[in-house]
């Protein structure tokens, strides 16, 4: 059942096109969010495939999202990075929003780390903090698994109890201590966007138990858990959420803070890949 949606056929085409250009099986996948893409350029033996050269992967049109699938190594661990992502608010159907991470899983990665820029909801936090995602609230009113189930990918009703892998999160905590990069931990609420939230919505999200808010990540996590791929997610708190600090929110500021945290993020991701990679091989 489910093949009439064409999800698996499209995935096979995408993966075949990638394999015709890249002849390694990556161990680890990393999705790089707004302003966080520079990490991909630090990979050794880098091969970059622009999204629009790969069947069914649309180029992201968001400033700060390069739109490349990048292959390379860190300490002999093969890594595939999405340098930029596809967002639901751009008007793409949900299958396309998660197509890149599904392709990573089909290529053979066993773990994926998803990064994003997010607004912070905890008054004691600051712009520039990093947060390990412990759980999420899907408030996008979108879901990537709506429609006939793709049995070839996973079960109709995937379990989400441990969506954010405890071992991968533990590894993130360990390497952050070693690298001296402080990490918060909390619940990520995903909204569709593209407007930032109102202060009233932020008060609602805090009452619901969220610690950070953004417009991505959750569809990717759901699609990867459907395929039984291990996932962790890391938010860069690029701003305090609407109404929690003076002034207005601007995407340029999100980018600027993400860029300012680039060196620490790179160190953290490299150390995490080195620590998590062998778990995946
Ligand atoms: N809200 C939603 N998404 C975001 C934010 C925010 O405050 N900051 C970065 N991405």
């Amino acid at each position: 059942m489910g093949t009439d949606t064409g999800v698996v056929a499209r995935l096979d085409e995408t993966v075949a096109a990638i394999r015709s250009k890249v002849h390694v099986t990556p161990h680890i996948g990393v999705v790089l969010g707004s302003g966080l893409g520079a990490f991909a350029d630090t990979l050794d033996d880098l091969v970059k495939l622009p999204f629009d050269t790969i069947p069914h992967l649309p180029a992201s049109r968001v400033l700060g999202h390069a739109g490349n699938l990048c292959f390379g190594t860190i300490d002999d661990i093969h890594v595939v990075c999405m340098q930029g992502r596809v967002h639901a608010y751009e008007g793409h159907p949900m299958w396309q929003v998660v197509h890149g991470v599904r392709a990573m899983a089909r290529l053979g990665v066993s773990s994926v780390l998803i990064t994003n820029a997010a607004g912070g909801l905890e008054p004691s936090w600051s712009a520039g903090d990093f947060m390990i995602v412990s759980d999420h609230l899907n408030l996008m009113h979108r879901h990537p698994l709506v429609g006939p189930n793709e049995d070839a990918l996973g079960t109709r009703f995937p379990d989400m109890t441990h969506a954010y892998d405890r071992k991968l999160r533990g590894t993130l905590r360990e390497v952050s201590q070693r690298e001296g990069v402080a990490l918060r931990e909390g619940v990520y609420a995903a909204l569709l966007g593209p407007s930032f939230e109102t202060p009233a919505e932020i008060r609602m999200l805090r009452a619901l138990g969220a610690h950070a808010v953004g417009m991505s990540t959750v569809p990717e996590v759901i699609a990867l858990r459907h395929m039984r791929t291990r996932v962790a997610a890391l938010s860069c708190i690029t701003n305090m959420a609407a109404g929690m600090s003076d002034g207005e929110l601007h995407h340029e500021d999100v980018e600027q803070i993400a860029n300012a945290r680039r060196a620490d993020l790179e160190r953290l991701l490299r150390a995490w890949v080195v620590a998590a990679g062998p778990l995946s091989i």
Side-chain angles (χ1 to χ4, degrees), residues 8 11-12 15 19 101-109 152-153 227:
V8 173
L11 208 46
D12 287 345
V15 169
R19 287 213 171 111
V101 291
R102 277 179 167 156
M104 284 182 172
R106 283 288 254 217
L107 283 168
V109 302
L153 302 185
M227 296 176 77

Side-chain angles (χ1 to χ4, degrees), residues 117-120 196-197 213-215 238-242 249 254:
F196 289 111
E197 302 70 34
V213 58
M215 306 173 194
T238 51
N239 55 280
M240 292 312 289
L249 303 183
V254 167

Side-chain angles (χ1 to χ4, degrees), residues 97-115:
V97 172
V98 299
H99 195 69
V101 291
R102 277 179 167 156
M104 284 182 172
R106 283 288 254 217
L107 283 168
V109 302
S110 50
S111 302
V112 177
L113 177 59
I114 300 184
T115 68

Side-chain angles (χ1 to χ4, degrees), residues 114 116 118 121 125 131-139 159-166 169 173 184-190 205 208-214 216-218 221-222 225 231-235:
I114 300 184
N116 59 53
L121 304 184
W125 295 5
M131 183 192 91
I132 301 179
V133 179
S134 57
D135 205 343
H136 73 223
L137 295 169
N138 181 10
L139 303 174
D159 176 61
M160 296 293 286
T161 312
H162 303 296
Y164 297 83
D165 189 86
R166 280 177 291 190
R169 281 157 56 195
R173 268 186 234 112
R184 312 285 193 179
E185 189 144 358
V187 173
Y188 175 91
L205 293 175
L208 291 178
H211 301 91
V213 58
S216 69
T217 301
V218 163
V221 169
I222 293 169
R225 290 310 298 146
V231 187
L234 185 69
S235 296

Side-chain angles (χ1 to χ4, degrees), residues 73-231:
T73 57
I74 297 174
D75 274 12
D76 294 333
I77 295 162
H78 290 279
V79 180
V80 54
C81 290
M82 284 177 67
Q83 197 175 36
R85 58 151 62 81
V86 178
H87 301 87
Y89 64 70
E90 295 174 78
H92 299 294
M94 288 308 275
W95 71 262
Q96 209 155 28
V97 172
V98 299
H99 195 69
V101 291
R102 277 179 167 156
M104 284 182 172
R106 283 288 254 217
L107 283 168
V109 302
S110 50
S111 302
V112 177
L113 177 59
I114 300 184
T115 68
N116 59 53
L121 304 184
E122 282 295 303
S124 61
W125 295 5
S126 311
D129 286 357
F130 291 113
M131 183 192 91
I132 301 179
V133 179
S134 57
D135 205 343
H136 73 223
L137 295 169
N138 181 10
L139 303 174
M140 289 183 129
H141 303 286
R142 299 280 189 289
H143 197 289
L145 305 182
V146 167
N149 186 53
E150 297 293 347
D151 296 334
L153 302 185
T155 178
R156 172 75 287 186
F157 302 109
D159 176 61
M160 296 293 286
T161 312
H162 303 296
Y164 297 83
D165 189 86
R166 280 177 291 190
K167 209 162 180 170
L168 296 183
R169 281 157 56 195
T171 308
L172 264 174
R173 268 186 234 112
E174 274 164 38
V175 299
S176 76
Q177 276 175 9
R178 212 181 323 133
E179 296 295 326
V181 181
L183 289 186
R184 312 285 193 179
E185 189 144 358
V187 173
Y188 175 91
L191 274 64
L192 180 60
S195 57
F196 289 111
E197 302 70 34
T198 63
E201 286 166 342
I202 293 303
R203 288 193 295 276
M204 173 191 75
L205 293 175
R206 290 189 60 197
L208 291 178
H211 301 91
V213 58
M215 306 173 194
S216 69
T217 301
V218 163
E220 294 154 344
V221 169
I222 293 169
L224 285 168
R225 290 310 298 146
H226 185 226
M227 296 176 77
R228 310 291 299 166
T229 304
R230 287 158 52 165
V231 187

Side-chain angles (χ1 to χ4, degrees), residues 3-4 32 36 43 46 71 92 103 112 132 154 176 206 244-245 248 269 278:
T3 47
D4 56 333
L32 299 166
L36 304 172
L43 297 177
L46 177 63
F71 291 82
H92 299 294
V112 177
I132 301 179
S176 76
R206 290 189 60 197
M244 296 192 61
S245 61
E248 299 181 350
L269 293 185

Side-chain angles (χ1 to χ4, degrees), residues 5 9 35 227 262:
T5 64
M227 296 176 77
R262 171 178 161 168

